[in-house]
Amino acid sequence: MTEKSKQIEGRTGPWEIVLGLEVHAQVVSNAKLFSGAAVGFGAGPNEQVSLVDAAMPGMLPVINRHCVEQAVKTGLGLKAQINLKSHFDRKNYFFPDLPQGYQISQYKHPIVGEGEVIVEHDDGSTFTVRIERLHLEQDAGKMLHEQDPNASYVDLNRAGTALMEIVSMPDMRSSEEAAAYVKKLRTILVYLGTCDGDMEKGNLRADVNVSVCRPGAYEKFRETGDFSHLGTRCEIKNVNSYRYIQQAIEYEARRQIEVLEDGGKIDQETRLFDPGKGETRFMRSKEDAHDYRYFPDPDLLPLDLDPAWVKAIEATLPELPDAKKARLQSQYGLTAYDAQVLITEQARADFYEQAVQGGSKGGRDAKLTANWVTNDLAARLTAGGLDIADSPIAPDGIAELVQLIEEGVISSKIAKDVFERMWAGEGSASQIVDKQGLKQVSDTGELEAIIDRLIAENPGQAAQVAEKPQAIGWFVGQIMKATQGKANPGVINQMLKAKLGG
């Protein structure tokens, strides 16, 4: 992406967007961060609330070791600094869904320090987003306003649930880059097993910080680290889809440009995105850190991690997306694009590897297998609203189908019909081909008889081939029609060229 393409034309000249994201990722854990209450989606209101979550007098928080391990694992996956010493702070603010009157979070001493994420553009090029920090904190509850016209209700099921807040540096310069960053971050977290990435349930959501500046100002910021070169930022809270992230950024950037070009100034504030209207609206004035009156939580000891424990966690890390992409390219000779599409979902990449290594003779054509997994199968799954784990066609089914194409038993066109029948549960690829009589005709004797008849019946068409080789296509079409699409295209082309000289 060029510097020019990042610019937005205003009435008074070009502007540029500067973006930093705070991604809240719910930790995969059976219990909350500081209590033994269950974590899960779909329970009735206030059914998963302990006395600690409800902030009953005298209740003390106890750290969940598994949540700490998940945060460390995530930090390692982000190639980040793991801080062996960190502590929890109280972040003071008052809201009905926060019964303590404060949130237990981390401020100056987070569990994870600086890291980075390498993100892919659609054209295959990459850019790097620096991670400033990752800290652990507890989630708040939820306000329900639709139950009663005269009252609001509070559901504390989510209160105390462990969140990882992953804070980026302002390294993104367009709405596309921001969405691509969240997509890549989600992929990493799901591979690690530290967050399920379910954006619809709010288990992964982003606070998007948006500001605008004139061309050249961002470069001065990167050279000096001085934020004064950048415009005043507004934070858009809790955006939970890639499309909404892009829409919110584009609307907010335009809004800020209009305010500035009209001679106004941008107020530092928190805003909400309204998907129905496609616009952001004012929520509250944006607080600075000192407004929260952070101080170390007196009920919790500082976290002191054993380096050997961190090393042991590192040894359990799975193959992460970037490493898997590189291996798929080197091991199977895939293009960067094909490998990228496959690794976007871990289950898809695993399905592909099982398929490409399958078949009765082992080792299928890598590119052909990738095409079936990422195109035909993916389209069918999307249309059916299914995950690849629920696919009615198993990896060895795709492998068998590809093997039949490779061996010339069926053509690629016939394979489409076979695939649809496999999806409908009519049997394996081989069973369907045998039952429906779909084997490709490669018998040269049978094909030669058809070719000779067509040449004899159409001498004018045959004579044209010598002058215009593409005229051979007419014969190919007629032979395919005569064989109900079962003739082997490679064989008939060879035979026609031998007889007609095309």
Side-chain angles (χ1 to χ4, degrees):
M1 184 175 283
T2 65
E3 294 304 316
K4 194 78 176 166
S5 68
K6 294 175 184 173
Q7 293 181 2
I8 300 175
E9 282 301 323
R11 297 194 315 272
T12 61
W15 297 83
E16 292 182 350
I17 309 176
V18 180
L19 304 163
L21 271 66
E22 299 162 14
V23 173
H24 291 84
Q26 182 173 312
V27 176
V28 171
S29 170
N30 292 328
K32 295 183 180 179
L33 185 55
F34 299 113
S35 84
V39 174
F41 191 80
N46 297 303
E47 287 183 355
Q48 296 178 166
V49 185
S50 76
L51 296 176
V52 174
D53 307 323
M56 291 291 110
M59 294 298 104
L60 294 174
V62 177
I63 189 71
N64 181 336
R65 178 189 177 97
H66 178 68
C67 292
V68 175
E69 183 177 339
Q70 293 283 62
V72 170
K73 187 182 285 187
T74 303
L76 292 167
L78 298 175
K79 300 189 278 288
Q81 171 66 42
I82 305 301
N83 295 325
L84 298 178
K85 293 186 185 299
S86 62
H87 66 68
F88 287 96
D89 300 280
R90 290 187 180 180
K91 180 181 182 181
N92 295 274
Y93 64 96
F94 300 94
F95 214 66
D97 59 7
L98 193 69
Q100 294 154 307
Y102 60 84
Q103 178 188 37
I104 303 177
S105 183
Q106 293 186 306
Y107 178 44
K108 286 189 175 175
H109 302 284
I111 190 167
V112 175
E114 294 181 359
E116 66 176 29
V117 177
I118 297 169
V119 188
E120 296 75 20
H121 286 297
D122 287 342
D123 65 4
S125 62
T126 61
F127 63 99
T128 300
V129 176
R130 295 169 296 160
I131 301 298
E132 181 186 329
R133 57 189 279 136
L134 176 156
H135 63 259
L136 277 169
E137 64 183 23
Q138 56 180 183
D139 204 352
K142 184 168 72 170
M143 296 287 291
L144 303 168
H145 305 290
E146 301 83 20
Q147 317 293 320
D148 189 304
N150 302 309
S152 290
Y153 292 80
V154 179
D155 180 3
L156 295 180
N157 279 348
R158 212 167 63 192
T161 299
L163 299 178
M164 296 178 288
E165 181 170 339
I166 303 165
V167 182
S168 83
M169 293 295 284
D171 288 352
M172 287 151 280
R173 311 300 311 288
S174 69
S175 62
E176 291 82 6
E177 286 191 352
Y181 163 71
V182 176
K183 196 174 288 185
K184 181 61 177 286
L185 187 59
R186 178 188 178 278
T187 301
I188 293 169
L189 296 174
V190 172
Y191 268 64
L192 289 166
T194 57
C195 174
D196 67 12
D198 193 328
M199 298 178 81
E200 282 187 25
K201 293 177 183 171
N203 295 353
L204 186 80
R205 53 193 192 267
D207 296 344
V208 186
N209 292 288
V210 183
S211 67
V212 296
C213 63
R214 291 294 190 182
Y218 182 77
E219 285 68 30
K220 288 178 184 172
F221 156 71
R222 289 301 295 258
E223 286 167 19
T224 63
D226 184 352
F227 281 86
S228 67
H229 292 294
L230 304 181
T232 301
R233 65 189 170 91
C234 292
E235 180 183 44
I236 308 165
K237 291 291 284 185
N238 292 332
V239 193
N240 68 341
S241 87
Y242 307 127
R243 187 161 57 92
Y244 292 165
I245 286 169
Q246 290 192 242
Q247 289 177 354
I249 289 167
E250 284 158 18
Y251 176 87
E252 180 60 21
R254 278 284 175 197
R255 185 193 72 84
Q256 291 184 21
I257 289 168
E258 285 179 19
V259 169
L260 293 168
E261 292 193 323
D262 287 341
K265 73 178 186 67
I266 302 301
D267 295 320
Q268 183 173 304
E269 61 191 27
T270 299
R271 301 178 70 84
L272 290 174
F273 177 65
D274 183 334
K277 295 181 179 177
E279 60 188 38
T280 64
R281 66 173 188 268
F282 175 80
M283 180 184 177
R284 61 173 181 259
S285 296
K286 173 69 178 164
E287 298 88 349
D288 287 311
H290 62 260
D291 294 318
Y292 290 116
R293 304 186 316 284
Y294 282 99
F295 65 89
D297 192 304
D299 293 334
L300 289 160
L301 290 169
L303 273 180
D304 196 348
L305 306 182
D306 182 348
W309 186 61
V310 174
K311 276 282 181 198
I313 294 171
E314 189 171 14
T316 68
L317 292 184
E319 182 182 44
L320 291 171
D322 290 343
K324 190 180 286 289
K325 178 182 176 182
R327 182 176 61 76
L328 291 180
Q329 286 180 255
S330 63
Q331 185 172 340
Y332 301 109
L334 294 178
T335 63
Y337 175 81
D338 284 338
Q340 180 61 39
V341 172
L342 287 168
I343 63 100
T344 302
E345 295 290 343
Q346 189 175 26
R348 184 189 297 160
D350 292 344
F351 186 103
Y352 168 75
E353 290 213 72
Q354 290 175 47
V356 81
Q357 292 166 10
S360 61
K361 296 178 183 175
R364 304 275 50 85
D365 181 282
K367 172 61 178 169
L368 189 55
T369 307
N371 288 346
W372 278 97
V373 172
T374 61
N375 296 328
D376 300 78
L377 181 64
R380 257 314 198 159
L381 291 169
T382 300
L386 297 172
D387 292 326
I388 199 162
D390 304 316
S391 170
I393 302 176
D396 60 358
I398 294 292
E400 185 184 17
L401 183 65
V402 171
Q403 185 174 334
L404 292 175
I405 300 167
E406 284 183 80
E407 293 175 352
V409 176
I410 57 174
S411 66
S412 294
K413 187 177 179 183
I414 291 171
K416 301 274 186 187
D417 179 38
V418 175
F419 175 83
E420 290 301 325
R421 291 174 181 275
M422 290 169 69
W423 184 271
E426 293 183 25
S428 70
S430 295
Q431 289 169 342
I432 292 165
V433 168
D434 289 341
K435 195 189 303 178
Q436 301 297 327
L438 295 173
K439 276 187 182 171
Q440 192 164 233
V441 178
S442 298
D443 181 336
T444 53
E446 183 181 341
L447 292 174
E448 188 167 22
I450 296 170
I451 291 169
D452 288 344
R453 176 176 59 78
L454 282 168
I455 291 171
E457 291 173 358
N458 301 279
Q461 294 278 2
Q464 278 185 30
V465 174
E467 301 166 22
K468 202 163 69 171
Q470 60 265 40
I472 208 169
W474 182 85
F475 284 96
V476 173
Q478 292 301 308
I479 295 164
M480 295 303 280
K481 192 174 177 182
T483 60
Q484 296 179 305
K486 295 175 194 171
N488 185 320
V491 173
I492 59 175
N493 266 291
Q494 284 177 359
M495 292 177 71
L496 284 167
K497 283 175 183 175
K499 285 182 178 286
L500 299 172

